[in-house]
């Protein structure tokens, strides 16, 4: 399973990466701290799972998730 992370703080990254490292079936492809490049990356790469920290910039991240879902359909 191929995954990416979208988070804007180090603690979120560490928690998710630690969980992914424990799960051998998940391959972390890339981690993003900025939303600017996520959409283009997802449109040109096959992603199975996206881990998103939505505690800050909630509306902007939710809009991005909706765009990504449309790309996947």
């Amino acid at each position: 399973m191929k995954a990416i992370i979208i988070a804007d703080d180090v603690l979120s990254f560490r928690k998710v990466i630690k969980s992914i490292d424990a799960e051998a079936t998940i391959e972390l492809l890339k981690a993003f701290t900025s939303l600017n490049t996520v959409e283009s990356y997802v449109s040109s790469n096959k992603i199975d799972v996206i881990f998103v920290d939505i505690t800050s910039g909630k509306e902007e991240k939710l809009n991005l998730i909706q765009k990504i879902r449309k790309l996947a359909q």
Side-chain angles (χ1 to χ4, degrees):
M1 186 177 297
K2 297 177 187 258
I4 63 170
I5 301 172
I6 305 169
D8 53 6
D9 68 85
V10 176
L11 290 176
S12 294
F13 274 127
R14 287 183 183 160
K15 287 178 185 178
V16 174
I17 290 171
K18 186 176 181 179
S19 297
I20 290 173
D21 286 344
E23 182 61 46
T25 62
I26 298 175
E27 175 189 358
L28 179 60
L29 299 176
K30 193 157 176 97
F32 296 90
T33 56
S34 170
L35 299 179
N36 297 335
T37 57
V38 174
E39 190 174 347
S40 64
Y41 184 85
V42 170
S43 67
S44 61
N45 293 277
K46 181 173 176 352
I47 309 296
D48 299 308
V49 176
I50 301 174
F51 297 98
V52 182
D53 168 30
I54 58 169
T55 57
S56 62
K58 191 181 244 184
E59 176 116 4
E60 189 177 4
K61 288 179 185 175
L62 291 174
N63 289 336
L64 175 66
I65 292 168
Q66 289 174 343
K67 286 180 186 178
I68 290 170
R69 286 185 70 196
K70 287 179 184 176
L71 287 172
Q73 293 177 352

